[in-house]
Each structure stands twice: as structure tokens, then as C-alpha cells.
Amino acid sequence: MAPHDTVLLDVDGTLADTTYHHALAWARAFAAHDLTPPLWQVHRAIGMGGDKLVAAVAGDDVEERSGDALRERWEEEYERLLPEIVLLPGARDLVLLLSGRGVRVALASSGKARFTDHVVGLLDLPADTLAATTSSDDAEHSKPEPDILTSALEAAGGSSAVVVGDTTYDVTAAARMGAPCVALLSGGFGRVELEDAGAVHVAGTPEELLEADWDGLLAAEPSPAAREDRTPLDRSAG
């Protein structure tokens, strides 16, 4: 098997330390509608698409009644938090390392374009470092469906990819397009559950990936277990 020619990087929770900002923004959006799901449940849903999150956290009836209004309020709440957003350690260096290896590097974000652009600005990369940048506008179906990944791979002009993400949703989405997934702990998911989901390698932050065996990772194949539909959100837990 020829080495993968592209690395697709998730943005929220992978390059930028935004997971808990998103959770807080969603919690505030729910509260504005007199809904108070436990914050741990909100956190466990971060990483799936916003079109799926409301039902996963609060139920189909809330999605039908208030889904669009909740998503609009989440955007407002998250935008207020943008000045607090910082990159994860090693994020910029990882992008430069991968680009320097000659592979295509694309940002495969399922977030709103303006929020992804904010992170791109923080990365402050040389021109032409990124082969492509995607947002939720580029996918019909959100994670754990692979649409955003396939769109990013196509936009980057690549033939096959390694995905770097931070949730089990990323691992599943990657496997569904036939890609291995490197996972980070920065999304708040545990090492064991990421490995059980099928991640081919787990690290703490992008900085740890600077010393990873990229020759091996670029030749990796997805774990068969990674194709399973995993939704790590059990309201009976805790």
C-alpha cells in the first residue's frame, strides 16, 4: 500500500483548545431556552455535528421544537468566547512539520467557517501551507458521517489520508472513508475509549505528535472496529 498523501486535521479540540468553550456555549444556549442538561452530557456530544447534538443531548422533541433556535443561540454564545481561544501546544509546529514532509495538509473542520477562520488566523501559517480548509458549509451530513473529510480530501487534491482528531466521532468518520485516525486527548475523551474506538495512535496534544512515527502513521490502515457506530452519550451513566 502506498503511503497516504494527505493529512486531514480537525480544528476544534485538535488544533485549538475549544472543546470546553463549545460545551459552555451550548449549555448557555440550552439555559436560554429553560433547558438544563448536565454539562457532562453536553461535553460528550461535542464533536458530533450541531445538527445532531440537540437531539442527542435533549431529545428529538426539543430538536423539533427548538433545534434551529438553539443552534443560533450557540453561535452567539460561542462568538463571545472567541477572544479566549488559544491554540493547543504544538499545533502550528505540527502543521509545519507535516507540510515539510511533502504531504498535503488540510483542515477538515465541521465548524462554522468564521470560527475556523479565527483559528487559521491564530495559526499564522505561511502562504500555501494548507492545501484546503473546509467548514460545515462543505458537508451535507455531519460527523460521525465522513462527508466533511471526503470534501477536504477532494479539495486538497489528495488520494488517501490520515485523519487527526480528538473524539470517537472523528475515528468513526475517518474509518467510514477508509482512513486511519490519530486521536488526541485534548477533546476530553479517554485514551482507552479512543483506542477501543479504533484510533491507530493516541497522544495528549499536537506537541506530542511532533515526535510520532509519521512514516508508520502515513502507511497505517483503519481498525475494523472503527467503523462501528459509537455514540458515547449514555444518559443513564453517572
Side-chain angles (χ1 to χ4, degrees):
M1 175 180 175
H4 303 290
D5 59 11
T6 306
V7 176
L8 304 178
L9 297 166
D10 179 51
V11 175
D12 287 305
T14 299
L15 296 178
D17 196 5
T18 58
T19 296
Y20 298 97
H21 297 80
H22 279 297
L24 182 59
W26 274 111
R28 289 174 174 172
F30 281 118
H33 288 259
D34 297 319
L35 298 166
T36 55
L39 193 54
W40 74 266
Q41 290 184 355
V42 179
H43 164 248
R44 296 289 289 178
I46 300 300
M48 67 170 60
D51 58 324
K52 296 181 173 71
L53 185 146
V54 173
V57 171
D60 291 336
D61 56 335
V62 174
E63 168 59 36
E64 293 174 9
R65 183 174 68 249
S66 307
D68 289 342
L70 282 163
R71 281 181 283 275
E72 183 176 344
R73 183 59 179 257
W74 159 75
E75 285 190 49
E76 296 171 0
E77 296 291 348
Y78 184 71
E79 190 149 22
R80 294 188 180 100
L81 295 172
L82 282 181
E84 302 177 25
I85 301 304
V86 297
L87 297 176
L88 284 158
R92 184 175 188 273
D93 290 339
L94 177 61
V95 177
L96 294 175
L97 171 74
L98 294 170
S99 178
R101 290 184 63 97
V103 299
R104 295 174 172 87
V105 181
L107 302 188
S109 173
S110 55
K112 295 294 181 180
R114 69 181 186 279
F115 298 151
T116 300
D117 289 344
H118 181 78
V119 176
V120 172
L122 294 177
L123 287 167
D124 191 26
L125 297 165
D128 301 326
T129 300
L130 296 173
T133 300
T134 61
S135 70
S136 57
D137 295 336
D138 301 302
E140 182 177 355
H141 301 289
S142 62
K143 295 175 186 175
E145 296 305 319
D147 296 30
I148 195 65
L149 301 178
T150 55
S151 292
L153 180 60
E154 181 179 352
S159 59
S160 66
V162 173
V163 174
V164 181
D166 61 283
T167 71
T168 55
Y169 310 114
D170 294 314
V171 180
T172 300
R176 288 178 177 176
M177 67 170 279
C181 185
V182 175
L184 297 177
L185 299 173
S186 45
F189 285 79
R191 181 180 298 274
V192 172
E193 67 182 321
L194 290 167
E195 291 174 343
D196 286 349
V200 297
H201 181 72
V202 178
T205 65
E207 189 169 45
E208 292 183 23
L209 292 181
L210 299 177
E211 304 299 326
D213 175 17
W214 280 102
D215 288 334
L217 293 176
L218 288 169
E221 297 185 20
S223 164
R227 295 182 183 276
E228 298 177 12
D229 190 4
R230 297 168 184 266
T231 302
L233 186 66
D234 182 355
R235 296 186 186 87
S236 67

